[in-house]
Amino acid sequence: RLQESRERLSVCSKLCYAVGGAPYQITGCALGFFLQIYLLDVAQVDAFYASIILFAGRVWDAITDPMVGFFISKTPWTRLGRLMPWIMLSTPFAIISYFLIWFVPDISTGQVMWYLVFYCAFQTLVTCFHVPYSALTMFISREQSERDSATAYRMTVEVLGTVLGTAIQGQIVGKVDTPCIQSPFFFSLTNSSVAMEELNMTHDTGSLTDTRNAYMIAAGVIVGLYVLCALILVLGVKERRESSELQDEPVSFLQGLKLVMNHGPYIKLIAGFLFTSLAFMLLEGNFALFCTYTLGFRNEFQNILLAIMLSATLTIPFWQWFLTRFGKKKAVYVGISSAIPFLITVVLVDSNLFVTYVVAVAAGISVAAAFLLPWSMLPDVVDDFKLQHPSSHGHEAIFFSFYVFFTKFTAGVSLGISTLSLDFAGYQTRGCSQPDQVKFTLKMLVSAVPVGLILLSLLLFKLYPIDEEKRRKNKKALQDLR
């Protein structure tokens, strides 16, 4: 009991730790929802090159996670810790590169390279922040209950970060009208080109400068929050060195990677959340288009998205209580499967704003579970690994970095699937309306495909071996080992 009381974290420490998760979510949300339309309509990058920038950035982002995990595993312990120096040194360079993403350079050539370089640079630097921050979960306390509690605080703040990213970017940029182009099918054949030209001339020339300024103002606000959150994390959280690290020399990264990838519970957990992440990222990536073109709520998208994120934020404490009371595997089944009936309802019911808001709030409850549970269950896998390999240590960054890698990999896959499907269906860039084939494709991308992926992930979670009884045994065995 005396040992547990020493390991207990204060509410202030948990809050300071949780705040550190906000920069990744705020910037990621702003980039995920607004970068594509910014490149096409504001920076006026050709659609082909814009797709290259987005895809290359996602691929590079996924590659950098294992690379950063490798370098962290080779980093010696310092007076500030092993993870904190990465967070401190990456922050100033990350905010510079993020701001330059939203700046339109006054150059006729090299614009594509500008956005590609700074987008990839920011993804690398934010990875240098987020991977050590994720692994920090294992170094704030040895008590699993305290780590679970801190993870719940973190997930609440991270979901709130997505709300802030959406609200800041959306409200500031939303004050400037974004032009759309009427389909030529709605004009006579003789006047369609004239009408299209008039729309471009009258709208773009008058508001383009204001739109660019709005994006830069939003970037400035988000950069300020990034710095503030990083300072709170560094000043308010103490990184604790594991006593087991003092006993033996760590094995090499490749040996550690082989051990991690041969650990059955880790592979099964990653496989389950791989399909869950793919389902929710397909929903996230296509939700704006679905609301705009299929449901016809062009001016309500931002408010519907905020309803989802606010619902997720408010229900994080409920899921923390649920997993403590009934166990994490039951929380997975109940939390993730709860989205299925509402995903089916939103496409079967005719366009209705009230029903859409109800579905948004219900979907937010499931999003909260999908946010919380992976980060709450990963430490259990690490503890199980430590029991099976007591002489092998220092691999926490590998566990967390490869989970982040697979998550980002699914984001790239979902982006590719969505883009190819919509292109095949005849999607019209910047169109005010879309063909029926595009509307049907959007229904599949936000309903049928995510439901199938969620069902597949639930089958995979049946194979996950660490239930509550196994977790309690591991906790007791680790205490005895220490």
Side-chain angles (χ1 to χ4, degrees), residues 102-115:
W102 304 104
F103 176 75
V104 180
D106 189 16
I107 52 177
S108 57
T109 59
Q111 192 179 36
V112 174
M113 188 57 64
W114 172 283
Y115 291 112

Side-chain angles (χ1 to χ4, degrees), residues 287-472:
F287 190 74
L289 297 174
F290 176 73
C291 287
T292 301
Y293 297 115
T294 304
L295 298 181
F297 302 139
R298 176 181 292 273
N299 296 325
E300 291 289 335
F301 156 66
Q302 296 175 7
N303 297 327
I304 296 171
L305 182 62
L306 282 175
I308 294 176
M309 295 307 175
L310 286 172
S311 172
T313 304
L314 295 174
T315 50
I316 285 282
F318 166 77
W319 288 118
Q320 174 62 21
W321 169 83
F322 190 96
L323 66 87
T324 304
R325 178 69 176 81
F326 299 102
K328 297 179 183 179
K329 287 191 72 172
K330 288 184 180 178
V332 167
Y333 298 138
V334 176
I336 296 176
S337 63
S338 63
I340 294 177
F342 298 101
L343 292 178
I344 296 174
T345 301
V346 76
V347 298
L348 293 181
V349 178
D350 292 334
S351 179
N352 185 294
L353 187 58
F354 175 77
V355 172
T356 303
Y357 272 106
V358 171
V359 171
V361 172
I365 298 173
S366 188
V367 168
F371 259 79
L372 173 65
L373 290 168
W375 301 110
S376 180
M377 297 171 77
L378 271 172
D380 298 340
V381 174
V382 177
D383 286 343
D384 188 73
F385 176 85
K386 286 181 178 180
L387 283 176
Q388 296 189 24
H389 306 278
S391 62
S392 183
H393 51 82
H395 305 310
E396 292 83 3
I398 299 177
F399 279 97
F400 286 90
S401 65
F402 271 89
Y403 171 72
V404 177
F405 165 78
F406 287 123
T407 303
K408 292 177 179 178
F409 174 77
T410 58
V413 170
S414 66
L415 180 66
I417 292 174
S418 301
T419 305
L420 289 176
S421 301
L422 293 173
D423 182 62
F424 182 76
Y427 179 79
Q428 299 175 11
T429 304
R430 297 177 61 189
C432 294
S433 62
Q434 297 294 337
D436 291 338
Q437 295 90 333
V438 172
K439 295 178 181 179
F440 176 78
T441 303
L442 288 170
K443 286 185 178 181
M444 294 297 102
L445 290 174
V446 302
S447 179
V449 178
V451 167
L453 292 170
I454 288 173
L455 292 174
L456 181 58
S457 70
L458 293 176
L459 291 176
L460 291 171
F461 281 123
K462 292 285 290 183
L463 304 175
Y464 179 66
I466 302 179
D467 54 14
E468 286 304 295
E469 182 180 358
K470 175 73 171 175
R471 195 168 71 88
R472 284 192 293 269

